[in-house]
Structure formats: C-alpha cells, structure tokens
C-alpha cells in the first residue's frame, strides 16, 4: 500500500517488488533485504535474554506476538528454554477504571520498587488497544520516569482480536520477563471488562484501584472484581478528597468483610494512596510483602501457580480449537450455508451446530 503521509517514500514490500524506482538507494535495499532474510539466531537471542539483555527481551516478545508461523516456532523454542528460569518473581495484577490513576500509580510504585532494588516489568492486557491505539500503555510517556529507569521494562499491550489471544501472549511475556531477571511483574488492565479474570488467573496478587466519592456502579466496578481483589487502594486520597477517601475506606472495608474468606486465608485490605503526591506507596508494598509471606508459608502461593498452569493449559487448547475451527475453509463455507438455513428457520441452531462439528471431526480425523 502506498505511504499516504509521505507518498514519495515506498513501503518495504514495494522496495522488494519487481519495479524499483531509481531514486531508492540500492545499498539500503540490499541492507533491508539482508535484515529481512537474515535468519534469527534463536540460541543467541535466548542466551542474551537470560543474561538480562532488554533488547533481546523485546525481540522475543515481538516474536510471541507475531502471527507468522516461523516466528511462532521460534517463540515456542524461546519460551521452552526460558521456562526453567521463570517463576522466580511476584506477579501483581493492577486494575481500575480509566482515569483512576493506574499509570500514575504504576509510575510511583514501580519507581519505589526499583529504589529498593527490585527489577520491575510492566505488561498490559488490553484487548481494545488494537482499536483505541493502546488506551492503557500505548502512550509510554505517561510513565516518564519509569520508562527511563534501567531497572524497569515497560511493554505496551499486545493487540489482538480476542482476549484469549492477548492473555496468552501476556502470560508468555511474563515468563520471558522473569527469565530476563525481572523479579516483580506488574500486569495492568482496565477494570471494566472481562480482562480482570484473565489477569487474576495469571497473577499472585490482585490490586484494585478505586476512587472515593464515585459510587461503585459509577466506576463500573463489578461485584466480581471487588471479590477478586486482595487489596483495594483508594487513590487520589489528597487535598479536598482526603476526607471522602477516609470514609470510603470504612465502607469498602465493611463490604470486603462480607465476602467469604479466600482460599489464600488472606483478608483483603483497603489502603489510601496518592500516586500523584507519592503517598502511601511504601505501605502498599509492605502489605504485599505480608501477603507473600502468609501465602508462601501456608502453601497457597505455589498451589495457586500450579492451578493457574492447569487453567492456562485448558484455555490455550480452547483458544486453539476455536481458531482452527473458524479458520478452516471447508468449515467457513459450510458455516455460511448453515447460518442462512438457521436464519430462514429451515434448521434449528442445535442441529446445524452438531452437523458442523461432525464435519469438523471428519476433516480433522480424515475418517
Ligand atoms: N489528585 C490526584 N490526581 C491524580 C492522582 N493519580 C492520578 N491523578 C490524575 O488523574 C488523571 C488520570 O491519571 P492516569 O494515571 O492517567 O489514570 P489511568 O487510570 O491510567 O487512566 P486510563 O489510561 O484512562 O486508564 C491524571 O490527570 C493524573 O494526574 C492522585 O493520586 N491524586
């Protein structure tokens, strides 16, 4: 496709095409072609990643996110090699509605963590980012200090059509970050959709950022999300808002006590913070440390991770089966016919579905 902003410039495909305009420097074409065709040395990439090389980590995550079959094979190899070195971090999920101050909080929290000697990776789950151009982490400048911090790694959200696909990529990225030496992984998501469940199922601790004053319904916080939280941080507890934040703390505390005790035996806590003024940040980390010592001692931490692995095994199979089914050409044709039949009331949806599944079974087994 021609470059609309700079019509005189050619896209890489055009450069590689048959008719190359004279004004394009032949050396740069050769360089581009060399780069494009140069086989990636996966072993070297793995070695560098394991030594903590951040550009190699970025490259590896790009491979994970790629839909190219060769890249996917390389990504599998990298993940497999990194697995023995993963698992050594704490994984913290952070959610909250847009505007609650997630970016500001992560900037303050991440900076604090690096100051006490942690290596912090920030990933995001935001399936909407392909449409909204990265509504959470797309704009890295919102974490100005952290992005420049050599002990921090910020990766904008993987984009994708399905939440399942995005979640899988984020989960695999966690493994790579850990293998690269990051001991604290923060996973951010917007607290309005289904992505919290995905984040909850790949983290050790789930943090909900809340605002005082606005009712939970106004904030779009679902009961289920509140129930998943190990801690609720009431952000923007500063200035005129402080009194309201104190009252909200009491209300939320009461609400949290109504939920049954979690399997972790941890009673969720409410804290006040002002990410903007850097207040209450240290307390959040102390709370997390209390949680980790409790759950590591009572065995929940490890058990939960093992269960999460089993969950992700099934999720990945589900995702892959759906993909294979809908991407199959024979199925796609049959599906559009069955759809018409169902819409015209010639067939029930259940009969049509079982016929399609039987056809798929025939295709895949060859019987
Ligand atoms: N007063 C005050 N303002 C804050 C605080 N934290 C964040 N803000 C402001 O709230 C606004 C939104 O903050 P962000 O960090 O961008 O919020 P977000 O949740 O990442 O927003 P989305 O990217 O839309 O999801 C910004 O103007 C911040 O400066 C705080 O602790 N106190």
């Amino acid at each position: 496709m021609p470059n609309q902003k700079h019509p005189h410039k050619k896209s890489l495909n055009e450069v590689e095409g048959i008719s190359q305009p004279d004004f394009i420097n032949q050396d740069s074409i050769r360089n581009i072609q060399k780069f494009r065709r140069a086989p990636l040395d996966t072993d070297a990439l793995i070695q560098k990643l394991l030594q903590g090389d951040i550009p190699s980590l970025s490259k590896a995550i790009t491979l994970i996110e790629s839909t190219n079959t060769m890249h996917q094979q390389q990504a599998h190899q990298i993940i497999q090699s990194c697995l023995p070195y993963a698992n050594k971090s704490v994984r913290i999920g952070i959610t909250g509605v847009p505007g609650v101050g997630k970016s500001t909080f992560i900037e303050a929290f991440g900076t604090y963590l690096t100051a006490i000697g942690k290596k912090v990776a920030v990933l995001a789950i935001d399936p909407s980012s392909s449409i909204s151009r990265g509504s959470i982490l797309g704009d890295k400048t919102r974490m100005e200090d952290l992005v420049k911090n050599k002990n921090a790694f910020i990766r904008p959200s993987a984009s994708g059509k399905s939440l399942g696909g995005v979640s899988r990529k984020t989960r695999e990225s966690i493994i790579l970050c850990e293998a690269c030496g990051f001991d604290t992984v923060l996973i951010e998501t917007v607290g309005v959709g289904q992505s919290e469940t995905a984040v909850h199922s790949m983290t050790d601790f789930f943090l909900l950022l809340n605002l005082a004053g606005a009712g939970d319904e106004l904030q779009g916080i679902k009961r289920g999300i509140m129930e998943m939280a190990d801690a609720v941080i009431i952000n923007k507890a500063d200035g005129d808002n402080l009194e309201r934040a104190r009252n909200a703390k009491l209300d939320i505390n009461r609400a949290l006590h109504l939920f049954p005790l979690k399997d972790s035996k941890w009673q969720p806590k409410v804290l006040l913070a002002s990410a903007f003024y850097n207040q209450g940040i240290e307390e959040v980390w102390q709370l997390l440390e209390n949680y980790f010592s409790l759950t590591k001692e009572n065995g929940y931490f490890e058990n939960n991770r093992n269960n999460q692995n089993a969950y992700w095994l099934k999720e990945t199979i589900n995702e892959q089966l759906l993909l294979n089914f809908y991407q199959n050409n024979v199925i796609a044709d049959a599906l559009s016919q069955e759809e018409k039949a169902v819409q015209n009331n010639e067939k029930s949806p259940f009969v049509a579905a079982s016929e399609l599944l039987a056809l798929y079974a025939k295709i895949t087994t060859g019987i």
Side-chain angles (χ1 to χ4, degrees):
M1 210 180 82
N3 186 332
Q4 288 172 352
K5 227 172 169 185
H6 305 284
H8 59 285
K9 286 193 182 167
K10 297 286 167 185
S11 72
L12 202 55
N13 286 337
E14 283 171 286
V15 171
E16 288 189 332
I18 298 158
S19 58
Q20 286 156 354
D22 292 343
F23 61 82
I24 293 179
N25 178 317
Q26 293 301 313
D27 276 344
S28 38
I29 295 171
R30 270 191 290 277
N31 279 339
I32 293 167
Q33 287 173 336
K34 214 163 79 191
F35 173 76
R36 269 205 146 182
R37 286 174 196 153
L40 178 85
D41 185 344
T42 318
D43 289 334
L45 182 83
I46 295 167
Q47 285 314 315
K48 283 169 87 178
L49 190 154
L50 291 175
Q51 285 159 11
D53 182 57
I54 292 187
S56 302
L57 172 63
S58 291
K59 260 189 223 159
I61 295 181
T62 305
L63 288 176
I64 284 180
E65 290 172 353
S66 169
T67 48
N68 175 300
T69 321
M70 197 176 81
H71 291 166
Q72 283 176 353
Q73 282 165 2
Q74 288 168 330
H76 279 149
Q77 191 191 335
I78 296 169
I79 292 162
Q80 212 46 41
S81 311
C82 284
L83 259 179
Y85 305 95
N87 242 354
K88 286 180 191 132
S89 76
V90 288
R91 305 166 182 169
I92 303 161
I94 299 177
T95 193
V97 293
V100 70
K102 291 181 296 298
S103 309
T104 315
F105 177 81
I106 292 174
E107 165 99 337
F109 190 51
T111 306
Y112 168 77
L113 291 173
T114 57
I116 59 166
K118 306 278 176 203
K119 286 192 77 184
V120 180
V122 183
L123 305 170
I125 289 207
D126 179 15
S128 66
S129 68
S130 56
I131 304 158
S132 63
R133 303 224 133 259
S135 66
I136 5 184
L137 284 173
D139 183 4
K140 282 195 193 183
T141 55
R142 288 158 67 223
M143 294 180 197
E144 258 173 28
D145 288 334
L146 204 55
V147 85
K148 285 184 257 159
N149 191 318
K150 69 175 176 34
N151 286 320
F153 172 74
I154 302 181
R155 180 75 180 194
S157 173
S159 63
K161 287 191 192 110
S162 74
L163 173 62
V166 175
S167 315
R168 182 181 54 74
K169 290 170 193 168
T170 308
R171 212 184 119 78
E172 291 176 343
S173 302
I174 296 176
I175 293 168
L176 300 188
C177 289
E178 291 176 349
C180 190
F182 288 92
D183 51 34
T184 314
V185 184
L186 309 181
I187 297 136
E188 179 190 3
T189 189
V190 174
V192 284
Q194 298 167 324
S195 51
E196 292 73 28
T197 320
V199 173
H200 185 248
S201 62
M202 61 177 81
T203 50
D204 309 308
F205 189 94
F206 195 63
L207 200 83
L208 169 66
L209 287 191
N210 224 334
L211 287 175
D216 289 343
E217 279 151 44
L218 246 176
Q219 293 187 45
I221 302 290
K222 308 245 164 39
R223 192 190 129 96
I225 296 176
M226 190 70 103
E227 202 165 354
M228 280 192 272
D230 295 302
V232 178
I233 310 295
I234 303 174
N235 191 36
K236 306 196 188 183
D238 48 55
D240 294 347
N241 216 15
L242 186 56
E243 200 46 44
R244 253 184 300 167
R246 286 193 180 123
N247 292 333
K249 182 178 172 177
L250 296 174
D251 289 346
I252 296 176
N253 230 331
R254 229 171 281 135
L256 288 177
H257 273 89
L258 296 177
F259 293 128
L261 188 65
K262 290 170 183 276
D263 293 344
S264 59
K265 307 287 178 249
W266 168 259
Q267 176 59 50
K269 309 275 186 307
V270 191
L271 289 181
L272 300 185
S274 169
F276 190 80
Y277 293 104
N278 223 340
Q279 288 164 357
I281 303 300
E282 194 178 338
E283 287 77 0
V284 174
W285 180 243
Q286 277 164 6
L287 183 95
L288 275 143
E289 284 202 309
N290 291 344
Y291 174 88
F292 293 132
S293 39
L294 172 84
T295 53
K296 282 183 180 172
E297 209 165 283
N298 70 16
Y300 176 82
F301 189 93
E302 208 190 324
N303 213 0
N304 184 43
R305 282 211 174 171
N306 295 344
N307 290 339
Q308 288 180 341
N309 283 341
Y311 170 84
W312 282 99
L313 167 72
K314 287 190 189 148
E315 278 297 294
T316 311
I317 292 173
N318 292 350
E319 166 89 5
Q320 201 55 52
L321 279 177
L322 279 180
L323 215 70
N324 292 351
F325 180 84
Y326 286 108
Q327 279 181 351
N328 186 293
N329 290 337
V330 180
I331 292 292
D333 289 345
L335 179 63
S336 69
Q337 284 173 23
E338 294 279 17
E339 249 170 3
K340 277 186 205 126
V342 167
Q343 279 163 345
N344 296 336
N345 285 319
E346 292 159 13
K347 220 178 245 184
S348 93
F350 312 103
V351 170
S354 54
E355 282 177 7
L356 283 166
L357 288 170
L359 175 63
Y360 184 65
K362 206 169 157 193
I363 296 167
T364 48
T365 56
I367 303 168

